[in-house]
């Protein structure tokens, strides 16, 4: 047990003693010493795991707080150019989601009251109403829209430490008839399958003297939705450096934050035993044992707040609509989906929200920023993590140019429902 724990233990005893004294003064029953003792430290075995020992007596609210951890493990986030850099990839992610958007969670037919902007051929109201799946911008006879729902509108992209985009992936739950085919875990499995593959999607040129993916500890994943327990676990096992997410999943019980705070830290060396350097070229003493969870709000991404608020509004409205429908079954206007036959869908699910016009508009707004973004001179030439000895690290301007080029590639050759061509 280190000094810090001794201090914590003393602090705890002082606190509990004071509380017991207060309770006693009020004539209340004082806790048995054995029960106070059991709070002091984890059971044998667990008491040798430093994060468990340090956090054993903390309140849950403190335990999910990652603000001080982020300052320690990602101090570069305080720099405006670093925020710009993360935003480039967030905007690319939103543009990919818009490109492959498919809101037909309950099929292309029927009525989706909250998807009126996604009706195919609204100019021909005499035809039966049908909703667009694949949101390809310029559909023609050779490139048709595909309305089959393959999975939720949740995606992620992986970016290496140099700033090169490795690949993107989507949720494929419906395609595989599985509730576990999430974007991030699919992405990590794919990163492993690409280990030692040198030819990137761009040119096939080797990018540096190390295998492209020899280690994932400099890889950042950008995901549109806060990760679940499965994906947090997979990313943690893979050693992914950090995860930037565009929206909270309120049902994911902050598992990514918990894992980040409770996982044992590892030595600050890469797979070859060389010291890992921070953004200022100094050795990093230790690495987190789970990805650093970075909410979009940390980089002042407007869409983070907008998506959260719109999701909460959707949930509230659809629950109210269900209550109205219970009283009068003919009222279905606030449902997520009204089938030709059968019961309307009033579930306040986030994956239903991620089919609505409200969600799509927010992603479209973010997507447009990838095209409109300009970088001021200080940001333009910024290299992150800015290690002076690594010539392969891209400047922010190069990242922006490559992100735009990646979209063109994905639009032309990428597939949402099958492995991507690299
Ligand atoms: Zn997941």
């Amino acid at each position: 047990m280190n000094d810090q724990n001794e201090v914590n233990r003393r602090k705890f005893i002082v606190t509990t003693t004071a509380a017991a004294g207060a309770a006693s003064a009020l004539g209340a029953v004082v806790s048995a010493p054995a029960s106070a003792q059991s709070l002091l430290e984890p059971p044998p075995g667990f008491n040798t795991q430093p994060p468990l020992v340090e956090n054993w007596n903390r309140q849950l609210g403190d335990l999910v707080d990652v603000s001080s951890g982020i300052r320690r493990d990602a101090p570069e986030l305080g720099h405006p150019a670093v925020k710009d850099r993360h935003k480039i990839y967030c905007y690319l992610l939103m543009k990919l989601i818009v490109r492959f958007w498919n809101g037909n969670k309950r099929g292309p037919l029927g009525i989706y009251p909250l998807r009126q902007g996604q009706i195919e051929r609204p100019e021909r109201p005499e035809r039966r109403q049908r909703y667009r799946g694949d949101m390809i911008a310029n559909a023609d006879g050779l490139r048709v829209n595909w309305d089959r729902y393959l999975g939720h509108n949740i995606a992620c992209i992986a970016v290496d430490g140099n700033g090169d985009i490795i690949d993107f992936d989507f949720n494929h739950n419906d395609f595989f008839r599985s509730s576990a085919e999430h974007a991030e875990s699919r992405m990590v499995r794919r990163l492993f399958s690409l280990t030692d593959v040198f030819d990137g999607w761009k040119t096939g040129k080797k990018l540096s003297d190390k295998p492209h993916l020899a280690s994932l500890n400099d890889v950042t994943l950008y995901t549109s939705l806060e990760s679940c327990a499965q994906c947090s676990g997979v990313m943690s096992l893979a050693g992914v450096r950090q995860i930037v997410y565009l929206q909270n999943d309120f049902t994911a019980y902050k598992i990514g934050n918990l894992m980040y705070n409770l996982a044992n830290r590892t030595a600050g060396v890469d797979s070859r035993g060389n010291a890992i350097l921070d953004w200022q070229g100094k050795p990093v003493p230790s690495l987190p044992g789970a990805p650093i969870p970075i909410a979009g709000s940390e980089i002042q991404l407007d869409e983070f707040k907008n998506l959260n608020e719109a999701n909460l509004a959707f949930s509230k409205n659809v629950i109210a609509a269900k209550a109205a429908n219970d009283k009068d079954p003919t009222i279905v206007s606030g449902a997520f989906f009204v089938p030709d036959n059968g019961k309307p869908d009033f579930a306040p699910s986030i994956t239903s929200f991620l089919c609505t016009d409200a969600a799509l508009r927010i992603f479209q707004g973010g997507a447009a920023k990838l095209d409109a973004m300009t970088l001021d001179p200080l940001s333009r030439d910024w290299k992150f993590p800015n290690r002076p000895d690594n010539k392969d690290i891209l400047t922010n301007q190069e990242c922006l140019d490559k992100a735009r080029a990646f979209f063109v590639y994905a639009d032309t050759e990428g597939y949402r429902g099958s492995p991507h061509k690299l």
Side-chain angles (χ1 to χ4, degrees), residues 182-185 226-232:
H182 296 181
E184 306 96 298
S185 52
E226 185 176 6
S227 300
C228 74
Q230 175 202 215
C231 296
S232 296

Side-chain angles (χ1 to χ4, degrees), residues 144-299:
V144 296
N145 296 324
W146 195 20
D147 59 17
R148 285 285 302 278
Y149 190 76
L150 306 175
H152 307 308
N153 292 310
I154 302 166
C156 74
I157 57 177
V159 177
D160 72 11
N162 292 348
D164 276 304
I165 300 155
I166 305 167
D167 204 358
F168 73 104
D169 217 325
F170 269 78
N171 178 293
H172 283 58
N173 278 6
D174 284 59
F175 188 76
F176 289 105
R177 302 290 190 269
S178 157
S179 58
E181 291 294 334
H182 296 181
E184 306 96 298
S185 52
R186 287 178 57 76
M187 188 77 250
V188 168
R189 293 200 299 270
R190 186 154 169 72
L191 294 181
F192 282 139
S193 75
L194 291 170
T195 302
D196 291 333
V197 173
F198 295 97
D199 49 336
W201 62 272
K202 307 157 289 304
T203 61
K205 238 170 62 183
K206 196 173 163 182
L207 295 168
S208 66
D209 66 346
K210 65 175 183 177
H212 198 144
L213 292 168
S215 163
L216 304 189
N217 64 24
D218 65 358
V219 168
T220 300
L221 253 61
Y222 295 83
T223 183
S224 56
L225 185 62
E226 185 176 6
S227 300
C228 74
Q230 175 202 215
C231 296
S232 296
V234 169
M235 291 188 296
S236 176
L237 292 172
V240 169
R241 176 170 193 261
Q242 57 192 352
I243 176 92
V244 179
Y245 55 94
L246 309 185
Q247 182 181 5
N248 282 119
D249 182 349
F250 301 116
T251 65
Y253 49 92
K254 291 198 173 283
I255 185 68
N257 292 25
L258 288 170
M259 288 182 64
Y260 169 70
N261 278 334
L262 292 182
N264 283 324
R265 296 178 71 86
T266 55
V269 292
D270 66 17
S271 53
R272 294 177 177 179
N274 299 322
I276 290 173
L277 305 179
D278 70 9
W279 65 305
Q280 292 171 314
K282 295 181 194 147
V284 173
S286 67
L287 297 172
I292 309 163
I294 300 173
S297 50
E298 291 283 343
I299 55 166

Side-chain angles (χ1 to χ4, degrees), residues 22-40:
S24 186
L26 292 169
V29 177
V30 179
S31 304
S35 110
Q37 182 63 35
S38 69
L39 287 172
L40 286 174

Side-chain angles (χ1 to χ4, degrees), residues 234-373:
V234 169
M235 291 188 296
S236 176
L237 292 172
V240 169
R241 176 170 193 261
Q242 57 192 352
I243 176 92
V244 179
Y245 55 94
L246 309 185
Q247 182 181 5
N248 282 119
D249 182 349
F250 301 116
T251 65
Y253 49 92
K254 291 198 173 283
I255 185 68
N257 292 25
L258 288 170
M259 288 182 64
Y260 169 70
N261 278 334
L262 292 182
N264 283 324
R265 296 178 71 86
T266 55
V269 292
D270 66 17
S271 53
R272 294 177 177 179
N274 299 322
I276 290 173
L277 305 179
D278 70 9
W279 65 305
Q280 292 171 314
K282 295 181 194 147
V284 173
S286 67
L287 297 172
I292 309 163
I294 300 173
S297 50
E298 291 283 343
I299 55 166
Q300 279 84 53
L301 191 78
D302 296 339
E303 289 75 13
F304 183 79
K305 181 168 176 278
N306 297 342
L307 283 167
N308 279 337
E309 287 179 357
N311 178 37
L312 288 171
F314 165 81
S315 177
K316 188 177 156 200
N317 293 341
V318 90
I319 288 168
K322 170 78 169 70
N325 179 263
D326 285 343
K327 285 183 190 153
D328 179 353
T330 65
I331 301 176
V332 293
S333 57
F336 168 66
F337 179 66
V338 184
D340 292 343
N341 298 298
K343 286 191 168 178
D345 177 350
F346 288 101
S349 155
I350 194 167
T351 56
S352 295
F353 163 69
L354 290 172
C355 294
T356 63
D357 287 345
L360 177 57
R361 277 194 296 270
I362 295 171
F363 282 106
Q364 285 170 329
K369 290 179 185 172
L370 184 73
D371 302 324
M373 193 171 190

Side-chain angles (χ1 to χ4, degrees), residues 128 136 145 382:
R128 185 158 183 228
I136 185 169
N145 296 324
W382 179 262

